[in-house]
């Protein structure tokens, strides 16, 4: 995954969230923002970026997470993969650049708690959990929590491939990582 330039701690300048409900993010095809009723107004709410699994859409991911967002009082940003089937970074499909720009816009538009920005990657056998982990590792000063929900990812995880998970290596982050894969669950 590419590097992120967004810095939620300093870029969370939105002071008012205007309306509740799902709404398209201006300038981003397929990107959606969901605002629960409890986050309308000046209250700064956590933000969770939810990456859809393969063969799903941002809309479907948003619909499955709305009840959780309503209960927990958190905004959701649901990006749509450039490929429509999976998230990746290439010269023709720069998902990390789009996500970076979308995060900047959300932080400037909505009342977001810049210390509580999380990233969740899909579910099941999909690239979204891998992409979330890779993006979370390159954005160690962006996300306070990273969850990778996959049925197979844990077999490929090593501190060499994902240095942010190496407990022996000093990190400039307080991010927490949660990985699940079939019968295995890990928290870092």
């Amino acid at each position: 995954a590419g590097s992120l330039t967004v810095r939620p701690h300093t870029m969370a300048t939105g002071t008012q969230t205007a309306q509740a409900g799902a709404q398209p993010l201006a300038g981003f095809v397929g990107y959606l923002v969901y605002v629960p009723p409890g986050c309308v107004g000046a209250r700064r709410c956590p933000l969770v970026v939810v990456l859809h699994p393969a063969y799903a859409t941002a809309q479907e991911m948003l619909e499955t997470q709305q009840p959780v967002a309503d209960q927990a009082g958190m905004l959701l940003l649901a990006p749509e993969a450039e490929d429509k089937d999976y998230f990746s970074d290439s010269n023709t499909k720069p998902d990390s650049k789009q996500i970076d720009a979308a995060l900047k816009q959300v932080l400037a538009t909505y009342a977001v708690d810049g210390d509580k920005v999380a990233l969740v990657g899909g579910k099941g056998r999909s690239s979204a959990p891998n992409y979330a982990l890779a993006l979370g590792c390159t954005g160690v000063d962006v996300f306070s929590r990273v969850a990778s929900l996959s049925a197979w990812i844990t077999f490929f995880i090593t501190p060499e491939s994902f240095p942010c998970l190496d407990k022996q290596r000093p990190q400039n982050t307080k991010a927490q990582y949660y990985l699940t894969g079939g019968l295995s669950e890990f928290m870092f």
Side-chain angles (χ1 to χ4, degrees):
S3 297
L4 298 176
T5 60
V6 65
R7 295 297 174 260
H9 309 292
T10 58
M11 293 181 170
T13 58
T15 59
Q16 193 79 9
T17 300
Q19 67 183 36
Q23 45 210 286
L25 186 61
F28 295 87
V29 176
Y31 278 50
L32 299 168
V33 175
Y34 177 72
V35 178
C39 291
V40 173
R43 176 179 169 229
R44 293 200 169 275
C45 290
L47 171 66
V48 180
V49 180
V50 290
L51 304 179
H52 64 78
Y55 311 110
T57 65
Q59 178 69 40
E60 291 169 330
M61 190 66 173
L62 200 67
E63 288 170 2
T64 64
Q65 299 304 311
Q66 283 178 358
V68 176
D70 287 338
Q71 184 177 8
M74 57 191 184
L75 301 167
L76 300 175
L77 169 61
E80 184 74 47
E82 287 284 314
D83 184 286
K84 300 294 184 212
D85 289 333
Y86 62 91
F87 289 92
S88 67
D89 276 319
S90 68
N91 291 334
T92 59
K93 299 178 181 95
D95 281 317
S96 65
K97 289 181 182 178
Q98 286 287 96
I99 292 169
D100 191 48
L103 274 167
K104 289 176 184 177
Q105 183 172 323
V106 168
L107 292 168
T109 307
Y110 299 90
V112 174
D113 182 341
D115 292 326
K116 295 180 180 177
V117 178
L119 176 64
V120 176
K123 59 185 183 222
R125 297 177 189 271
S126 162
S127 67
N130 293 354
Y131 194 74
L133 183 57
L135 197 60
C137 282
T138 61
V140 294
D141 49 355
V142 176
F143 303 106
S144 60
R145 308 255 186 305
V146 177
S148 177
L149 311 176
S150 174
W152 57 274
I153 189 171
T154 54
F155 299 111
F156 303 104
I157 303 231
T158 65
E160 293 77 29
S161 60
F162 295 99
C164 62
L165 303 180
D166 187 350
K167 291 183 178 183
Q168 304 304 315
R169 184 177 177 189
Q171 298 290 319
N172 186 20
T173 181
K174 294 182 181 179
Q176 295 179 345
Y177 295 84
Y178 175 77
L179 301 113
T180 182
L183 301 176
S184 303
E185 293 185 4
F186 303 95
M187 289 189 73
F188 295 89

